[in-house]
Amino acid sequence: MGSGASSPFKADLLSDTLTRPSGAMREAMARADVGDDVFGEDPTLRALEERVAGLLGHEAGLFTPSGSMANQLGVRLHVKPGEELIGDSLAHVVRAELGAAAVLSGISSRTWVSERGRFRAGDAAFLMITGVGPYQVCTSLVVVENTHNFGGGTVQSLDEIRRARRVTRERGVAMHLDGARLFNASVAAGVPVSDYGREFDTVSICLSKGLGAPVGSVLVGSADAMAESRVWRKRFGGGMRQAGILAAAGLFALEHNVERLADDHARARRAAEAIAEAAPGAVDLATVETNIVILDVAAAGWTSAAFVDAALAGGVRTYAVGPGAVRLVWHLDVDDAGTDVAIDVLTALVRSGPAA
């Protein structure tokens, strides 16, 4: 295994949120210079917010305890109660944040269906409704997710994003990037995160997935937008005191754990190729772009629940994302040895199928 404490699993592929701080990251946290962030007095947190804003080409940043809070603050900035956001039907903001936009901010959502969460400017342009006065719900925001979690780590096209940006500017619609795994996209595509970031009004990035920090995300945008979001963060219960301890982990992650994301991608690819060789219908190699692999276990005769249980019996933890689909996610704490175990266990399962 990788950086953190020992895992009860031989290979834990449940999620890249499982990473635990390395010894060096813990030392950085222990040494952090801290203050009360509710009063704006935590120097390490300020340094992290400025660093992330600069990386993404924006004026200011705001640290949040979770990616969902960062997204919901971004959404809140752009959409008034009774207006709508639009995105694809598999988007995290729509599917995995428990209806927060509606519950917390009175925002409605509409979606288009896309293949593997692949963003197409035309889908957004077709769905958005503007200039209809009091007769229909107006579209105020387009949400894009990069990479796309439930799409299987899909890297979004910068050209498509730029096409959408031209349309949204013409129609007065904002754009928010759910960049929880944006650094994975950047490493895979060879595109600086700033190139993605500058195309959006707000961007959220997560520090506690592949980057290996224990807690936290950062929302970036204009200075005025982040000042407003700071107020809403407090209303949402996200005001923090000596949070520089957490920010120090984020700064360490940005310094040490970005380029190594390529290792996660390579291990995911190696495993996918082995599984495809064992059972060609179980994985489409064209869909393996980053650190996430989606297995079609139904093609090997499994239900996802039965497959997850069988893999767990072999020491490999996975995640069911549909009746016949299972997700595997590589991260900082799954090394080459863990990948070898995963390959042995998973190829045996897809090759043999469930016991009669």
Side-chain angles (χ1 to χ4, degrees), residues 81-271:
E83 296 177 344
E84 72 175 9
L85 66 83
I86 61 173
D88 79 273
S89 62
L90 296 176
H92 193 278
V93 167
V94 174
R95 187 179 181 190
E97 297 182 11
L98 305 184
V103 173
L104 300 177
S105 300
I107 294 167
S108 63
S109 303
R110 284 191 303 134
T111 61
W112 62 83
V113 176
S114 62
E115 182 183 4
R116 298 180 51 243
R118 183 79 65 193
F119 180 71
R120 305 292 185 196
D123 291 334
F126 179 79
L127 199 62
M128 71 176 69
I129 298 174
T130 56
V132 292
Y135 307 107
Q136 295 185 53
V137 176
C138 288
T139 305
S140 296
L141 180 67
V142 175
V143 176
V144 180
E145 185 175 335
N146 192 21
T147 66
H148 199 293
N149 178 9
F150 292 114
T154 303
V155 178
Q156 305 295 4
S157 162
L158 185 57
D159 288 341
E160 288 293 328
I161 291 169
R162 286 172 171 164
R163 290 188 188 100
R165 188 57 168 162
R166 289 193 290 271
V167 173
T168 57
R169 282 196 179 113
E170 291 172 359
R171 300 180 65 175
V173 174
M175 290 183 68
H176 171 73
L177 175 60
D178 176 359
R181 296 177 175 87
L182 184 61
F183 287 94
N184 290 90
S186 173
V187 168
V191 175
V193 291
S194 58
D195 285 6
Y196 291 116
R198 279 192 289 261
E199 300 301 323
F200 294 85
D201 296 281
T202 49
V203 181
S204 66
I205 62 102
C206 188
L207 301 164
S208 61
K209 292 187 171 67
L211 295 181
V215 177
S217 290
V218 179
L219 176 71
V220 302
S222 70
D224 287 344
M226 293 305 98
E228 181 179 349
S229 287
R230 175 175 283 273
V231 174
W232 278 102
R233 185 185 69 177
K234 188 71 160 59
R235 288 195 179 113
F236 283 176
M240 291 166 285
R241 300 299 179 175
Q242 288 72 33
I245 293 173
L246 302 176
L251 286 167
F252 182 95
L254 291 170
E255 186 67 29
H256 298 281
N257 292 345
V258 173
E259 291 183 4
R260 65 145 309 280
L261 292 171
D263 298 336
D264 298 336
H265 300 174
R267 288 168 181 142
R269 183 75 188 186
R270 180 163 69 88

Side-chain angles (χ1 to χ4, degrees), residues 31-81:
R31 294 194 305 268
D33 188 9
V34 300
D36 190 324
D37 182 54
V38 171
F39 291 105
E41 295 177 352
D42 193 302
T44 306
L45 198 52
R46 295 286 81 73
L48 173 65
E49 291 170 342
E50 292 171 4
R51 173 80 182 278
V52 175
L55 286 172
L56 294 170
H58 284 263
E59 286 183 338
L62 182 71
F63 182 79
T64 66
S66 71
S68 291
M69 182 176 284
N71 281 335
Q72 291 306 315
L73 289 171
V75 165
R76 178 88 201 193
L77 280 169
H78 306 301
V79 191
K80 296 175 184 176

